[in-house]
Structure formats: C-alpha cells, structure tokens
Amino acid sequence: MGTGPGAIEDLSSRALTALKNAEVIVGYKTYVALIKSIIVNQEIISTGMTREIERCAAAIEQALSGRRVAVISSGDPGVYGMAGLVLELLEKEGELNNIPVEIIPGITSATSAAARLGAPLMHDFAVISLSDLLTPWEIIEKRLEAAAYADFVIVLYNPASNKRNWQLKSARDIMLKYKAPTTPVGIVKNAARQQEEVYITDIENMLIYPIDMLATVIIGNKSTREAGGFIITPRGYTI
C-alpha cells in the first residue's frame, strides 16, 4: 500500500483503513516513522535501505501464517515501490494464487511535487529514476535521450545522493541538447513533510540548488512557462 508523500492528510481513507486493520506493518524505517501517529498495537517489521527483499520475504512469511500484513511504500507502491517485488516473490515461491493480495494506491512523488509547483504535468510526461543501483546507466541515458528528444516533461526520481552525484549533471547535459537553457525546472524536497522546500528555476541554473534523494525534479517541455510563482505546461485549450 502507498502512504503518499508523507503527510497523514494525503493518506487515502482506503489506505488508512488497511493500516488500522493490519496485524503487521512492514516497511522501510523512515516510512514507518512517517505514519507512527496512526500506528496503535500492530507489530512493526522495519529495516534500512537496500533490504527490500528481506522485508518482502518477512511480510510473506507473516501472511502465510495467517496474519493480515500491510507492506508500505511511500508514494504509490506500484511506482518504484514494493508491489512488484511482493508479487515477484510470491510467484517465485508458488504462492501467488494462495495469498490474497490487495494493492492500494497512493499519491506518488511526481504528482505531489507537481501540486506544489502548480501544473507542470498537464501534458505528456515521462518519469525516470537516475538511480543506477538496479538499472545500468547506459539504459537510463538512452531513456533520458529519448524523452528529451520527444519533448516530454520529465520527472526525475532519485536524482542524487552523497555517493551518486554525477548522474544529475549528466542528465542535465542531455536535457540541454534538446531543451532551451531557460526551460522551467521545479525542485521539491520533502513534499508534504516537515522541512519541505520548493524551488523554481531553469535548466541552466538547476544544479545550484540542493538536490538529493529527498528531492523530485520536474523539467518542462517547450511550452512550459513560469507565471505568478507557478509552473504551467499548457494542455492546448483555447482560452
């Protein structure tokens, strides 16, 4: 299930009901902490980053014992989340048809960041993660090239970290091959969480802003413009 960007107000009523009815909650420790105010007596299984398989395996073990388990992802579980891994592990273990599975959507980073910026996703857009931990950089680079060439609005997930800081500059260089340096860029850190930060800039100047794993970056297309402190990508309506 998806817990959204972090604020309890952005949690769907369906997700809230599932959390309250769960006997076990499984998730990355940071995401569990974001919903601690609504956790009552449920057992918590949490681990750190990069231990996703371990968490999902623990969740399946609990479910096989007959317990109701909520595996949480920030944002939406089907967008760089845990839904796919749970289904893959169930398939591998031959349990896919034996355990009832319900996937509950949530507000993902692309839409939560877009809402803070205005309306940058009003036309076609592509979502690309810059993390090359699971996807080779050569593939990511091809996707960036294709999306920029096709003039998509581009949403960058996992743009940078302490150990992984050159990919964002490389992505910016690709953008500049096809997009004007003045193309609007929106940066949102900690969307709907404490210490939220929102910046509106352009491709030329985007690298001077604090961008890390807590940030989502939205790069406009040729029609995108800034107006009144908002980013707008026109859909094409006649007004």
Side-chain angles (χ1 to χ4, degrees):
M1 56 163 292
T3 57
I8 299 301
E9 295 80 6
D10 289 328
L11 193 68
S12 73
S13 59
R14 182 178 165 196
L16 183 60
T17 298
L19 280 172
K20 290 181 176 179
N21 290 337
E23 297 170 276
V24 183
I25 296 175
V26 180
Y28 173 46
K29 59 184 179 181
T30 299
Y31 303 153
V32 171
L34 290 171
I35 60 168
K36 63 182 180 180
S37 64
I38 57 175
I39 295 174
V40 185
N41 297 314
Q42 295 95 332
E43 179 182 345
I44 305 299
I45 299 176
S46 64
T47 62
M49 190 69 76
T50 73
R51 296 173 64 184
E52 293 85 357
I53 294 177
E54 179 182 331
R55 287 201 298 275
C56 287
I60 291 171
E61 182 180 359
Q62 293 292 324
L64 285 171
S65 72
R67 306 179 79 187
R68 292 189 302 276
V69 183
V71 179
I72 66 170
S73 295
S74 68
D76 184 285
V79 180
Y80 303 115
M82 302 300 287
L85 183 54
V86 168
L87 293 176
E88 287 182 276
L89 288 177
L90 285 171
E91 180 186 32
K92 181 180 178 181
E93 295 180 16
E95 301 288 356
L96 194 55
N97 296 316
N98 298 328
I99 297 179
V101 177
E102 179 183 11
I103 298 172
I104 300 174
I107 300 173
T108 190
S109 294
T111 51
S112 60
R116 292 296 191 265
L117 295 166
L121 305 183
M122 282 292 291
H123 216 304
D124 300 333
F125 65 94
V127 178
I128 301 173
S129 170
L130 295 190
S131 173
D132 56 356
L133 294 177
L134 300 175
T135 304
W137 178 252
E138 292 75 16
I139 293 177
I140 296 172
E141 197 170 39
K142 289 178 181 179
R143 292 171 180 170
L144 289 167
E145 286 271 359
Y149 173 79
D151 196 32
F152 280 99
V153 175
I154 298 174
V155 184
L156 299 179
Y157 277 45
N158 306 313
S161 68
N162 290 333
K163 297 180 180 179
R164 188 177 48 77
N165 52 25
W166 58 267
Q167 289 89 341
L168 182 61
K169 182 181 184 303
S170 181
R172 173 183 174 271
D173 291 343
I174 292 172
M175 298 300 107
L176 286 171
K177 291 168 59 177
Y178 306 100
K179 298 175 181 287
T182 55
T183 302
V185 172
I187 301 163
V188 181
K189 290 185 63 175
N190 290 304
R193 303 177 186 176
Q194 290 184 348
Q195 300 175 331
E196 178 186 83
E197 300 174 41
V198 179
Y199 306 98
I200 294 178
T201 181
D202 53 31
I203 294 178
E204 184 174 9
N205 296 294
M206 61 182 281
L207 295 182
I208 69 174
Y209 290 85
I211 299 175
D212 56 21
M213 289 291 285
L214 299 175
T216 302
V217 180
I218 300 181
I219 301 168
N221 66 14
K222 291 178 181 177
S223 299
T224 303
R225 66 178 187 270
E226 180 186 354
F230 294 103
I231 294 179
I232 304 169
T233 299
R235 179 74 187 275
Y237 299 109
T238 301
I239 58 173

